[in-house]
Amino acid sequence: MTGKEPAVPAVALGTWAWGDSGEAGDGYFGSRLSESGLREVVEKAQANGFTLWDTAVVYGMGRSESVLARALAGYDRSEYQLSTKFTPQIAGDGDDPVADMLEQSLDRMRTDYVDLFWIHNPSDVARWTPPLIPLLRSGKVRHVGVSNHNLEEIALADRILGEAGFRVEAVQNHYSLLYRSSERAGVLDHCRKHDVRFFSYMVLEQGALTGRYGPANPLPEGSTRAAVYNGILPQLQALTDRMGAIGEDRGASAAEVATAWAIAKGTTPIVGVTKPGHIDGLVRARGIELTDGEVAELEALADAADVDTRGWWEQEM
Ligand SMILES: NC(=O)c1ccc[n+]([C@@H]2O[C@H](COP(=O)([O-])OP(=O)(O)OC[C@H]3O[C@@H](n4cnc5c(N)ncnc54)[C@H](OP(=O)(O)O)[C@@H]3O)[C@@H](O)[C@H]2O)c1
């Protein structure tokens, strides 16, 4: 990113699972999250320099944004950065659905600007990009990014913003050891070349790459992530075991090695933290330097797992 903003941390924090809180064990993640626990996550994260928080209206239909704002209460607005999204599929029917959705997010997050505002997916780039321009001019949006967009769609959004003197400053796509379509399609190279920050989401494949879950200890029964991943956990074992072994030498876990891999690839992972201990893990991950040989070995094991973890909301890149 450019401008006078504070430096972006090595890892951003994701709060999709936070949309489950209040519906213990009953949401997308099946996580049991309490507001006091999430406050602890925030305190530990802020104290360790992880100050960029990613959310979206659709994470619990406003719940994630509200819970995050309550957990951040008491911090000065300059001490943290907020990243939220316009999701075309739930656009209202007013004159300016993008401004309306932003306004509702600002209300829920008790603020008058967001640091990063994303078009969540490329349902109609020509329609949904122009309304960002007045929001950038007003200062309600500091920076704009696009998510789940392919190269052509990124270029179109950039052209539209460029005509008004702005640009796409960040890209946010699914990118993990198991899902490297943005790399194959040249999106990572494009971002590197044009100084656009690439945020990788689902680096941990919603828990399946943490080493904590496996055939003997599957993801929470009844949750959507369990339905997606539990069937492929046996295929991931060799990869998570190797990540665990690589981590062991550095006092780190498989999850931290997966995160370090995304950093080694020049991206900024958005990790969906749910427990204070996850922040300790990110501190370790930030300090791990994987060798080229380790990166290649992990990618070969990931390819050998032969799984397709493309989300139901994602297009081929
Ligand atoms: N733009 C988009 O379309 C899009 C799509 C998906 C996600 N995202 C963003 O990316 C973020 C990350 O994705 P995600 O939350 O779906 O999945 P993720 O980061 O791949 O995995 C999150 C899960 O991994 C576990 N975990 C997190 N940190 C850990 C650590 N340090 N050590 C061990 N386990 C850890 C937690 O599971 P337990 O709670 O079971 O411990 C957590 O629920 C989201 O929160 C969201 O902000 C964006």
Side-chain angles (χ1 to χ4, degrees):
M1 297 208 293
T2 57
K4 309 168 285 301
E5 306 305 312
V8 174
V11 179
L13 304 176
T15 61
W16 183 2
W18 296 29
D20 278 13
S21 47
E23 292 175 20
D26 194 25
Y28 196 95
F29 288 78
S31 305
R32 293 178 184 276
L33 307 178
S34 67
E35 295 215 7
S36 60
L38 295 178
R39 173 69 187 186
E40 267 184 71
V41 172
V42 162
E43 285 173 359
K44 196 156 211 178
Q46 288 287 126
N48 282 287
F50 299 111
T51 56
L52 173 52
W53 300 90
D54 183 70
T55 182
V57 185
V58 290
Y59 301 163
M61 292 317 286
R63 196 187 297 260
S64 167
E65 289 180 332
S66 300
V67 168
L68 174 62
R70 286 198 290 276
L72 281 164
Y75 287 93
D76 190 84
R77 184 64 184 83
S78 63
E79 293 178 283
Y80 59 88
Q81 300 87 48
L82 294 172
S83 154
T84 194
K85 313 183 181 84
F86 168 78
T87 306
Q89 287 71 14
I90 57 159
D93 49 17
D95 290 343
D96 191 344
V98 180
D100 291 346
M101 206 178 292
L102 173 67
E103 216 49 59
Q104 288 159 21
S105 292
L106 293 176
D107 270 2
R108 274 189 294 268
M109 297 196 291
R110 305 170 185 175
T111 183
D112 51 9
Y113 70 95
V114 292
D115 300 270
L116 246 174
F117 196 49
W118 303 88
I119 300 291
H120 206 157
N121 56 63
S123 85
D124 187 343
V125 178
R127 176 172 179 199
W128 298 121
T129 309
L132 295 169
I133 294 166
L135 301 175
L136 281 159
R137 286 199 176 117
S138 72
K140 286 185 179 180
V141 167
R142 295 279 167 93
H143 302 276
V144 156
V146 295
S147 184
N148 299 304
H149 286 48
N150 66 23
L151 267 184
E152 209 177 302
E153 292 155 347
I154 294 167
L156 176 56
D158 200 46
R159 221 163 34 242
I160 293 168
L161 294 174
E163 282 162 14
F166 298 102
R167 63 191 288 258
V168 169
E169 291 188 72
V171 165
Q172 172 175 168
N173 285 353
H174 185 180
Y175 183 61
S176 74
L177 273 158
L178 298 177
Y179 194 76
R180 309 206 293 280
S181 68
S182 284
E183 184 173 357
R184 293 193 193 96
V187 178
L188 256 64
D189 278 346
H190 170 91
C191 288
R192 210 170 291 127
K193 196 166 146 207
H194 297 280
D195 197 22
V196 173
R197 186 171 286 268
F198 184 97
F199 288 86
S200 38
Y201 73 68
M202 280 166 49
V203 162
L204 303 179
E205 294 289 349
Q206 303 204 321
L209 282 191
T210 59
R212 177 174 171 222
Y213 297 106
N217 180 34
L219 288 153
E221 178 104 27
S223 65
T224 307
R225 64 177 170 152
V228 172
Y229 292 101
N230 279 350
I232 61 168
L233 290 175
Q235 283 151 271
L236 307 185
Q237 193 81 53
L239 173 62
T240 52
D241 284 354
R242 185 63 193 130
M243 290 197 295
I246 289 176
E248 215 170 344
D249 296 342
R250 290 142 159 132
S253 72
E256 292 143 29
V257 171
T259 306
W261 168 85
I263 297 172
K265 302 290 285 195
T267 77
T268 304
I270 307 177
V271 176
V273 288
T274 58
K275 302 176 178 72
H278 293 163
I279 303 297
D280 299 315
L282 294 182
V283 171
R284 287 188 290 271
R286 177 168 71 180
I288 295 174
E289 273 190 44
L290 296 174
T291 65
D292 290 347
E294 286 169 331
V295 167
E297 186 192 1
L298 292 177
E299 292 182 359
L301 281 169
D303 292 342
D306 193 26
V307 293
D308 181 4
T309 58
R310 176 158 70 97
W312 48 265
W313 61 91
E314 294 167 11
Q315 60 170 344
E316 291 291 349
M317 283 295 134

